[in-house]
Amino acid sequence: MLTGICFLGCQSEKEYYIFTSFREPADEGLYLAYSEDGYHWESLGGPFLPPEAGKSKIMRDPSVVRGPEGTYHMVWTTDWKGGNGFGYASTKDFIQWSKQQFIPAMAHEPEVVNVWAPEIFYDDEEDRYIIIWASTIPFRYEKGEEEERNNHRMYYTTTKDFEEFTPTQLFLEPGFSVIDAVIVKRKKDDYVLVLKDNTRPNRNIQVAFSNSPLGPWEDYSAPFSDFLTEGPTVLKDGDKWLIYFDSYGAKTYQAVSTDDFENFTSIDDQISLPEGHKHGTISTVSKEVLDNLKANAKTK
């Protein structure tokens, strides 16, 4: 439980962690779990938001961030293949939601294969939201063993109000297929990018560094996760950072701890998550919001 610290905005009241999730085949919508300590997670069930945006009407990879005004903004994958955008909705309490929107961020690319795992980051230096995602545009970039329709790069847009968005630009071209990237701010002019190398031989997670949330990103690390891992999300625990990720090869959730993003220690034996939990992101909520969510828990 968080008390009297600054994480995702300074809060004087007690805060609890909230973890967004979904359940395969991703057609039901948003599931939630909560934790007092950031290690042990209890299910709140779901769905709290049935998917309506996009052609496929699915919700994968729900990413949420709390803005300075206290509103939670969420984006998600709406189509496994064939989509050219992502879903968006906002809430104060995870129960009452704004109307769902479809943001066609790749509509200018007629050959785009997909828009995967949009991740939202609040840039407090510029008072804007940065949304990054992975897309494949066949024959655009060099590839190794990847098929042309599975050779991803990361793109981004920014917004201040979720009504107007800056033109989509390339966010990351590391020279290999990349998905599931997460921006982490350690301090001013000091950012870490946690990302998945999605090339066929690797499919594991590493980090890179920059003095800006938009890059350029440098000093790519060796992988710190096993083969067939993805969907990282990060929380701050005192002087340490915990990185959770979906080990879809082992069909389990795993996590590591680090204090420098150079040395990583497995904490698999210290964590517990609800059965079926799939990757999303971690934010924080007040006791009032959590109590309301518990009272409205959606279990089957």
Side-chain angles (χ1 to χ4, degrees), residues 54-79:
K55 296 178 181 179
S56 302
K57 301 294 188 293
I58 64 170
M59 180 182 288
R60 302 180 67 89
D61 323 306
S63 172
V64 67
V65 68
R66 185 172 62 193
E69 79 290 357
T71 298
Y72 295 87
H73 301 277
M74 189 172 77
V75 294
W76 65 90
T77 304
T78 61
D79 299 274

PDB file of all heavy atoms in Angstrom, residues 54-79:
ATOM      1  N   GLY A  54     -13.673  -0.403 -32.872  1.00  0.00           N
ATOM      2  CA  GLY A  54     -12.962  -1.232 -33.841  1.00  0.00           C
ATOM      3  C   GLY A  54     -13.847  -2.258 -34.510  1.00  0.00           C
ATOM      4  O   GLY A  54     -14.948  -2.554 -34.059  1.00  0.00           O
ATOM      5  N   LYS A  55     -13.333  -2.823 -35.587  1.00  0.00           N
ATOM      6  CA  LYS A  55     -14.105  -3.794 -36.363  1.00  0.00           C
ATOM      7  C   LYS A  55     -14.310  -5.104 -35.620  1.00  0.00           C
ATOM      8  O   LYS A  55     -15.375  -5.705 -35.692  1.00  0.00           O
ATOM      9  CB  LYS A  55     -13.400  -4.064 -37.699  1.00  0.00           C
ATOM     10  CG  LYS A  55     -13.305  -2.862 -38.621  1.00  0.00           C
ATOM     11  CD  LYS A  55     -12.551  -3.219 -39.895  1.00  0.00           C
ATOM     12  CE  LYS A  55     -12.436  -2.019 -40.823  1.00  0.00           C
ATOM     13  NZ  LYS A  55     -11.670  -2.359 -42.049  1.00  0.00           N
ATOM     14  N   SER A  56     -13.286  -5.553 -34.909  1.00  0.00           N
ATOM     15  CA  SER A  56     -13.341  -6.880 -34.292  1.00  0.00           C
ATOM     16  C   SER A  56     -14.028  -6.894 -32.947  1.00  0.00           C
ATOM     17  O   SER A  56     -14.354  -7.965 -32.429  1.00  0.00           O
ATOM     18  CB  SER A  56     -11.921  -7.438 -34.141  1.00  0.00           C
ATOM     19  OG  SER A  56     -11.268  -7.515 -35.385  1.00  0.00           O
ATOM     20  N   LYS A  57     -14.216  -5.717 -32.343  1.00  0.00           N
ATOM     21  CA  LYS A  57     -14.858  -5.604 -31.028  1.00  0.00           C
ATOM     22  C   LYS A  57     -14.166  -6.480 -29.987  1.00  0.00           C
ATOM     23  O   LYS A  57     -14.795  -7.232 -29.254  1.00  0.00           O
ATOM     24  CB  LYS A  57     -16.341  -5.967 -31.126  1.00  0.00           C
ATOM     25  CG  LYS A  57     -17.129  -5.106 -32.100  1.00  0.00           C
ATOM     26  CD  LYS A  57     -17.201  -3.671 -31.626  1.00  0.00           C
ATOM     27  CE  LYS A  57     -18.139  -2.835 -32.486  1.00  0.00           C
ATOM     28  NZ  LYS A  57     -17.666  -2.626 -33.864  1.00  0.00           N
ATOM     29  N   ILE A  58     -12.830  -6.358 -29.949  1.00  0.00           N
ATOM     30  CA  ILE A  58     -12.068  -7.036 -28.907  1.00  0.00           C
ATOM     31  C   ILE A  58     -11.327  -5.985 -28.082  1.00  0.00           C
ATOM     32  O   ILE A  58     -11.242  -4.818 -28.471  1.00  0.00           O
ATOM     33  CB  ILE A  58     -11.056  -8.065 -29.470  1.00  0.00           C
ATOM     34  CG1 ILE A  58      -9.983  -7.358 -30.315  1.00  0.00           C
ATOM     35  CG2 ILE A  58     -11.774  -9.143 -30.262  1.00  0.00           C
ATOM     36  CD1 ILE A  58      -8.817  -8.257 -30.700  1.00  0.00           C
ATOM     37  N   MET A  59     -10.814  -6.410 -26.943  1.00  0.00           N
ATOM     38  CA  MET A  59      -9.980  -5.542 -26.102  1.00  0.00           C
ATOM     39  C   MET A  59      -8.799  -6.359 -25.604  1.00  0.00           C
ATOM     40  O   MET A  59      -8.939  -7.246 -24.770  1.00  0.00           O
ATOM     41  CB  MET A  59     -10.754  -4.984 -24.917  1.00  0.00           C
ATOM     42  CG  MET A  59      -9.915  -4.074 -24.002  1.00  0.00           C
ATOM     43  SD  MET A  59     -10.840  -3.462 -22.568  1.00  0.00           S
ATOM     44  CE  MET A  59     -11.945  -2.287 -23.363  1.00  0.00           C
ATOM     45  N   ARG A  60      -7.627  -6.040 -26.152  1.00  0.00           N
ATOM     46  CA  ARG A  60      -6.381  -6.639 -25.712  1.00  0.00           C
ATOM     47  C   ARG A  60      -5.459  -5.531 -25.210  1.00  0.00           C
ATOM     48  O   ARG A  60      -5.561  -4.383 -25.617  1.00  0.00           O
ATOM     49  CB  ARG A  60      -5.682  -7.388 -26.860  1.00  0.00           C
ATOM     50  CG  ARG A  60      -6.500  -8.492 -27.507  1.00  0.00           C
ATOM     51  CD  ARG A  60      -5.711  -9.154 -28.630  1.00  0.00           C
ATOM     52  NE  ARG A  60      -4.562  -9.868 -28.102  1.00  0.00           N
ATOM     53  CZ  ARG A  60      -4.560 -11.138 -27.710  1.00  0.00           C
ATOM     54  NH1 ARG A  60      -5.674 -11.860 -27.794  1.00  0.00           N
ATOM     55  NH2 ARG A  60      -3.472 -11.705 -27.231  1.00  0.00           N
ATOM     56  N   ASP A  61      -4.542  -5.897 -24.336  1.00  0.00           N
ATOM     57  CA  ASP A  61      -3.464  -4.993 -23.927  1.00  0.00           C
ATOM     58  C   ASP A  61      -3.965  -3.655 -23.396  1.00  0.00           C
ATOM     59  O   ASP A  61      -3.462  -2.598 -23.804  1.00  0.00           O
ATOM     60  CB  ASP A  61      -2.513  -4.734 -25.103  1.00  0.00           C
ATOM     61  CG  ASP A  61      -2.290  -5.951 -25.977  1.00  0.00           C
ATOM     62  OD1 ASP A  61      -1.909  -6.992 -25.423  1.00  0.00           O
ATOM     63  OD2 ASP A  61      -2.506  -5.863 -27.195  1.00  0.00           O
ATOM     64  N   PRO A  62      -4.923  -3.623 -22.480  1.00  0.00           N
ATOM     65  CA  PRO A  62      -5.429  -2.330 -21.993  1.00  0.00           C
ATOM     66  C   PRO A  62      -4.363  -1.579 -21.200  1.00  0.00           C
ATOM     67  O   PRO A  62      -3.850  -2.070 -20.201  1.00  0.00           O
ATOM     68  CB  PRO A  62      -6.616  -2.727 -21.112  1.00  0.00           C
ATOM     69  CG  PRO A  62      -6.308  -4.122 -20.653  1.00  0.00           C
ATOM     70  CD  PRO A  62      -5.581  -4.767 -21.797  1.00  0.00           C
ATOM     71  N   SER A  63      -4.036  -0.374 -21.665  1.00  0.00           N
ATOM     72  CA  SER A  63      -3.013   0.457 -21.043  1.00  0.00           C
ATOM     73  C   SER A  63      -3.666   1.696 -20.467  1.00  0.00           C
ATOM     74  O   SER A  63      -4.397   2.397 -21.170  1.00  0.00           O
ATOM     75  CB  SER A  63      -1.954   0.856 -22.081  1.00  0.00           C
ATOM     76  OG  SER A  63      -1.061   1.815 -21.555  1.00  0.00           O
ATOM     77  N   VAL A  64      -3.401   1.986 -19.191  1.00  0.00           N
ATOM     78  CA  VAL A  64      -4.064   3.090 -18.520  1.00  0.00           C
ATOM     79  C   VAL A  64      -3.044   3.972 -17.810  1.00  0.00           C
ATOM     80  O   VAL A  64      -2.021   3.488 -17.311  1.00  0.00           O
ATOM     81  CB  VAL A  64      -5.119   2.572 -17.513  1.00  0.00           C
ATOM     82  CG1 VAL A  64      -4.460   1.848 -16.350  1.00  0.00           C
ATOM     83  CG2 VAL A  64      -6.011   3.695 -17.015  1.00  0.00           C
ATOM     84  N   VAL A  65      -3.312   5.287 -17.807  1.00  0.00           N
ATOM     85  CA  VAL A  65      -2.497   6.222 -17.047  1.00  0.00           C
ATOM     86  C   VAL A  65      -3.424   7.257 -16.420  1.00  0.00           C
ATOM     87  O   VAL A  65      -4.451   7.610 -17.005  1.00  0.00           O
ATOM     88  CB  VAL A  65      -1.433   6.912 -17.928  1.00  0.00           C
ATOM     89  CG1 VAL A  65      -2.068   7.844 -18.947  1.00  0.00           C
ATOM     90  CG2 VAL A  65      -0.410   7.672 -17.083  1.00  0.00           C
ATOM     91  N   ARG A  66      -3.089   7.702 -15.219  1.00  0.00           N
ATOM     92  CA  ARG A  66      -3.869   8.737 -14.567  1.00  0.00           C
ATOM     93  C   ARG A  66      -3.269  10.100 -14.871  1.00  0.00           C
ATOM     94  O   ARG A  66      -2.082  10.329 -14.647  1.00  0.00           O
ATOM     95  CB  ARG A  66      -3.915   8.520 -13.052  1.00  0.00           C
ATOM     96  CG  ARG A  66      -4.822   9.525 -12.333  1.00  0.00           C
ATOM     97  CD  ARG A  66      -5.010   9.162 -10.877  1.00  0.00           C
ATOM     98  NE  ARG A  66      -3.764   9.165 -10.126  1.00  0.00           N
ATOM     99  CZ  ARG A  66      -3.642   8.645  -8.915  1.00  0.00           C
ATOM    100  NH1 ARG A  66      -4.656   8.054  -8.332  1.00  0.00           N
ATOM    101  NH2 ARG A  66      -2.475   8.689  -8.284  1.00  0.00           N
ATOM    102  N   GLY A  67      -4.109  10.985 -15.382  1.00  0.00           N
ATOM    103  CA  GLY A  67      -3.662  12.329 -15.680  1.00  0.00           C
ATOM    104  C   GLY A  67      -3.637  13.203 -14.440  1.00  0.00           C
ATOM    105  O   GLY A  67      -4.124  12.815 -13.366  1.00  0.00           O
ATOM    106  N   PRO A  68      -3.078  14.412 -14.544  1.00  0.00           N
ATOM    107  CA  PRO A  68      -2.942  15.290 -13.383  1.00  0.00           C
ATOM    108  C   PRO A  68      -4.278  15.744 -12.809  1.00  0.00           C
ATOM    109  O   PRO A  68      -4.353  16.128 -11.639  1.00  0.00           O
ATOM    110  CB  PRO A  68      -2.148  16.482 -13.944  1.00  0.00           C
ATOM    111  CG  PRO A  68      -2.391  16.450 -15.414  1.00  0.00           C
ATOM    112  CD  PRO A  68      -2.512  14.999 -15.763  1.00  0.00           C
ATOM    113  N   GLU A  69      -5.342  15.666 -13.621  1.00  0.00           N
ATOM    114  CA  GLU A  69      -6.666  16.067 -13.150  1.00  0.00           C
ATOM    115  C   GLU A  69      -7.410  14.910 -12.488  1.00  0.00           C
ATOM    116  O   GLU A  69      -8.541  15.076 -12.016  1.00  0.00           O
ATOM    117  CB  GLU A  69      -7.486  16.634 -14.312  1.00  0.00           C
ATOM    118  CG  GLU A  69      -8.109  15.607 -15.242  1.00  0.00           C
ATOM    119  CD  GLU A  69      -7.121  14.835 -16.115  1.00  0.00           C
ATOM    120  OE1 GLU A  69      -5.913  15.122 -16.070  1.00  0.00           O
ATOM    121  OE2 GLU A  69      -7.562  13.934 -16.840  1.00  0.00           O
ATOM    122  N   GLY A  70      -6.773  13.740 -12.424  1.00  0.00           N
ATOM    123  CA  GLY A  70      -7.371  12.591 -11.762  1.00  0.00           C
ATOM    124  C   GLY A  70      -8.143  11.657 -12.658  1.00  0.00           C
ATOM    125  O   GLY A  70      -8.648  10.628 -12.198  1.00  0.00           O
ATOM    126  N   THR A  71      -8.231  11.981 -13.936  1.00  0.00           N
ATOM    127  CA  THR A  71      -8.920  11.106 -14.885  1.00  0.00           C
ATOM    128  C   THR A  71      -7.974  10.022 -15.368  1.00  0.00           C
ATOM    129  O   THR A  71      -6.794  10.285 -15.652  1.00  0.00           O
ATOM    130  CB  THR A  71      -9.433  11.916 -16.098  1.00  0.00           C
ATOM    131  OG1 THR A  71     -10.374  12.880 -15.647  1.00  0.00           O
ATOM    132  CG2 THR A  71     -10.096  11.011 -17.125  1.00  0.00           C
ATOM    133  N   TYR A  72      -8.489   8.801 -15.465  1.00  0.00           N
ATOM    134  CA  TYR A  72      -7.728   7.691 -16.023  1.00  0.00           C
ATOM    135  C   TYR A  72      -8.040   7.595 -17.515  1.00  0.00           C
ATOM    136  O   TYR A  72      -9.201   7.528 -17.924  1.00  0.00           O
ATOM    137  CB  TYR A  72      -8.094   6.379 -15.332  1.00  0.00           C
ATOM    138  CG  TYR A  72      -7.713   6.330 -13.874  1.00  0.00           C
ATOM    139  CD1 TYR A  72      -8.583   6.810 -12.898  1.00  0.00           C
ATOM    140  CD2 TYR A  72      -6.476   5.833 -13.465  1.00  0.00           C
ATOM    141  CE1 TYR A  72      -8.233   6.783 -11.546  1.00  0.00           C
ATOM    142  CE2 TYR A  72      -6.122   5.795 -12.124  1.00  0.00           C
ATOM    143  CZ  TYR A  72      -7.007   6.268 -11.174  1.00  0.00           C
ATOM    144  OH  TYR A  72      -6.655   6.246  -9.851  1.00  0.00           O
ATOM    145  N   HIS A  73      -6.995   7.569 -18.316  1.00  0.00           N
ATOM    146  CA  HIS A  73      -7.122   7.452 -19.764  1.00  0.00           C
ATOM    147  C   HIS A  73      -6.628   6.073 -20.184  1.00  0.00           C
ATOM    148  O   HIS A  73      -5.535   5.659 -19.786  1.00  0.00           O
ATOM    149  CB  HIS A  73      -6.308   8.537 -20.455  1.00  0.00           C
ATOM    150  CG  HIS A  73      -6.727   9.936 -20.068  1.00  0.00           C
ATOM    151  ND1 HIS A  73      -7.783  10.582 -20.651  1.00  0.00           N
ATOM    152  CD2 HIS A  73      -6.225  10.777 -19.124  1.00  0.00           C
ATOM    153  CE1 HIS A  73      -7.926  11.778 -20.115  1.00  0.00           C
ATOM    154  NE2 HIS A  73      -7.000  11.928 -19.174  1.00  0.00           N
ATOM    155  N   MET A  74      -7.424   5.368 -20.984  1.00  0.00           N
ATOM    156  CA  MET A  74      -7.070   4.008 -21.369  1.00  0.00           C
ATOM    157  C   MET A  74      -7.121   3.838 -22.884  1.00  0.00           C
ATOM    158  O   MET A  74      -8.035   4.328 -23.553  1.00  0.00           O
ATOM    159  CB  MET A  74      -8.011   3.002 -20.707  1.00  0.00           C
ATOM    160  CG  MET A  74      -7.550   1.548 -20.890  1.00  0.00           C
ATOM    161  SD  MET A  74      -8.525   0.368 -19.930  1.00  0.00           S
ATOM    162  CE  MET A  74     -10.013   0.262 -20.928  1.00  0.00           C
ATOM    163  N   VAL A  75      -6.144   3.131 -23.412  1.00  0.00           N
ATOM    164  CA  VAL A  75      -6.104   2.745 -24.816  1.00  0.00           C
ATOM    165  C   VAL A  75      -5.933   1.235 -24.892  1.00  0.00           C
ATOM    166  O   VAL A  75      -5.430   0.608 -23.957  1.00  0.00           O
ATOM    167  CB  VAL A  75      -4.965   3.464 -25.576  1.00  0.00           C
ATOM    168  CG1 VAL A  75      -5.233   4.957 -25.643  1.00  0.00           C
ATOM    169  CG2 VAL A  75      -3.600   3.195 -24.930  1.00  0.00           C
ATOM    170  N   TRP A  76      -6.342   0.635 -26.015  1.00  0.00           N
ATOM    171  CA  TRP A  76      -6.250  -0.821 -26.136  1.00  0.00           C
ATOM    172  C   TRP A  76      -6.241  -1.245 -27.594  1.00  0.00           C
ATOM    173  O   TRP A  76      -6.609  -0.496 -28.504  1.00  0.00           O
ATOM    174  CB  TRP A  76      -7.400  -1.506 -25.393  1.00  0.00           C
ATOM    175  CG  TRP A  76      -8.776  -1.247 -25.953  1.00  0.00           C
ATOM    176  CD1 TRP A  76      -9.442  -1.961 -26.909  1.00  0.00           C
ATOM    177  CD2 TRP A  76      -9.662  -0.176 -25.574  1.00  0.00           C
ATOM    178  NE1 TRP A  76     -10.685  -1.417 -27.147  1.00  0.00           N
ATOM    179  CE2 TRP A  76     -10.846  -0.317 -26.337  1.00  0.00           C
ATOM    180  CE3 TRP A  76      -9.575   0.873 -24.652  1.00  0.00           C
ATOM    181  CZ2 TRP A  76     -11.929   0.553 -26.215  1.00  0.00           C
ATOM    182  CZ3 TRP A  76     -10.647   1.753 -24.534  1.00  0.00           C
ATOM    183  CH2 TRP A  76     -11.808   1.583 -25.304  1.00  0.00           C
ATOM    184  N   THR A  77      -5.824  -2.486 -27.818  1.00  0.00           N
ATOM    185  CA  THR A  77      -5.840  -3.110 -29.138  1.00  0.00           C
ATOM    186  C   THR A  77      -7.269  -3.511 -29.481  1.00  0.00           C
ATOM    187  O   THR A  77      -7.916  -4.210 -28.708  1.00  0.00           O
ATOM    188  CB  THR A  77      -4.944  -4.362 -29.154  1.00  0.00           C
ATOM    189  OG1 THR A  77      -3.625  -4.008 -28.739  1.00  0.00           O
ATOM    190  CG2 THR A  77      -4.898  -5.000 -30.531  1.00  0.00           C
ATOM    191  N   THR A  78      -7.747  -3.081 -30.659  1.00  0.00           N
ATOM    192  CA  THR A  78      -9.121  -3.375 -31.064  1.00  0.00           C
ATOM    193  C   THR A  78      -9.213  -4.469 -32.123  1.00  0.00           C
ATOM    194  O   THR A  78     -10.292  -5.036 -32.332  1.00  0.00           O
ATOM    195  CB  THR A  78      -9.806  -2.120 -31.628  1.00  0.00           C
ATOM    196  OG1 THR A  78      -9.088  -1.674 -32.790  1.00  0.00           O
ATOM    197  CG2 THR A  78      -9.835  -1.004 -30.596  1.00  0.00           C
ATOM    198  N   ASP A  79      -8.105  -4.751 -32.810  1.00  0.00           N
ATOM    199  CA  ASP A  79      -8.120  -5.743 -33.889  1.00  0.00           C
ATOM    200  C   ASP A  79      -6.789  -6.475 -33.917  1.00  0.00           C
ATOM    201  O   ASP A  79      -5.728  -5.837 -33.875  1.00  0.00           O
ATOM    202  CB  ASP A  79      -8.345  -5.071 -35.252  1.00  0.00           C
ATOM    203  CG  ASP A  79      -9.660  -4.333 -35.344  1.00  0.00           C
ATOM    204  OD1 ASP A  79     -10.679  -4.975 -35.677  1.00  0.00           O
ATOM    205  OD2 ASP A  79      -9.669  -3.111 -35.072  1.00  0.00           O
TER     206      ASP A  79
END
